[in-house]
Amino acid sequence: MRHIAISDIHGCMTTFKHMVERVLELKPADRLYLLGDFIDRGPNSKGVLDYVIKLEEAGYKVYCIKGNHEDMMVSAYEEPDKQEIWLYNGGRETLRSFNASQPQEIPLKYIDMVDDF
């Protein structure tokens, strides 16, 4: 069993998936620790979150820690006056990946997911 830690994925789904499947060749017995900043800046934050869900549903042991970018997204969702700081720090790219124009258009299951990290 290996313990693997990855941080700062920042919406880079293609790179993340390549690392997990081709470089690391993740096995079901491995423990994958994701150390925050799954979203923002890169082109496919939604895809990153969907891939984490897929790994968990397939039985992989994935342990997630909320980073400051996830915290900003939840804050922007809950408190509209906090949106600007998130948008400035990569939130626009995350909104695009959800085909959303504002945080409240992101499906609640994703907000709850990152809030529970």
Side-chain angles (χ1 to χ4, degrees):
M1 167 183 43
R2 300 177 298 168
H3 295 268
I4 301 162
I6 300 172
S7 67
D8 297 284
I9 300 163
H10 283 293
C12 295
M13 173 56 191
T14 303
T15 303
F16 176 47
K17 186 175 180 181
H18 176 79
M19 181 183 293
V20 169
E21 294 180 6
R22 305 283 184 234
V23 176
L24 297 172
E25 297 179 352
L26 190 69
K27 308 283 188 269
D30 294 335
R31 294 177 188 255
L32 178 62
Y33 300 89
L34 301 175
L35 308 177
D37 295 351
F38 299 70
I39 63 168
D40 296 345
R41 300 196 172 122
N44 196 357
S45 293
K46 181 184 181 299
V48 169
L49 297 176
D50 287 337
Y51 188 63
V52 170
I53 293 167
K54 178 182 170 187
L55 289 171
E56 291 174 334
E57 287 175 347
Y60 289 94
K61 295 169 189 76
V62 181
Y63 304 89
C64 301
I65 297 173
K66 184 187 336 179
N68 65 313
H69 287 267
E70 289 78 39
D71 191 53
M72 284 187 282
M73 181 174 91
V74 172
S75 291
Y77 183 89
E78 294 175 345
E79 302 174 57
D81 63 319
K82 295 190 177 180
Q83 289 181 25
E84 194 57 39
I85 189 75
W86 179 54
L87 296 175
Y88 177 78
N89 283 287
R92 285 180 180 84
E93 291 84 352
T94 297
L95 287 174
R96 274 195 287 280
S97 76
F98 281 96
N99 290 318
S101 61
Q102 58 183 342
Q104 293 73 21
E105 294 174 6
I106 296 172
L108 185 57
K109 80 174 199 171
Y110 294 99
I111 301 299
D112 289 342
M113 175 187 180
V114 300
D115 199 28
D116 288 341
F117 287 166

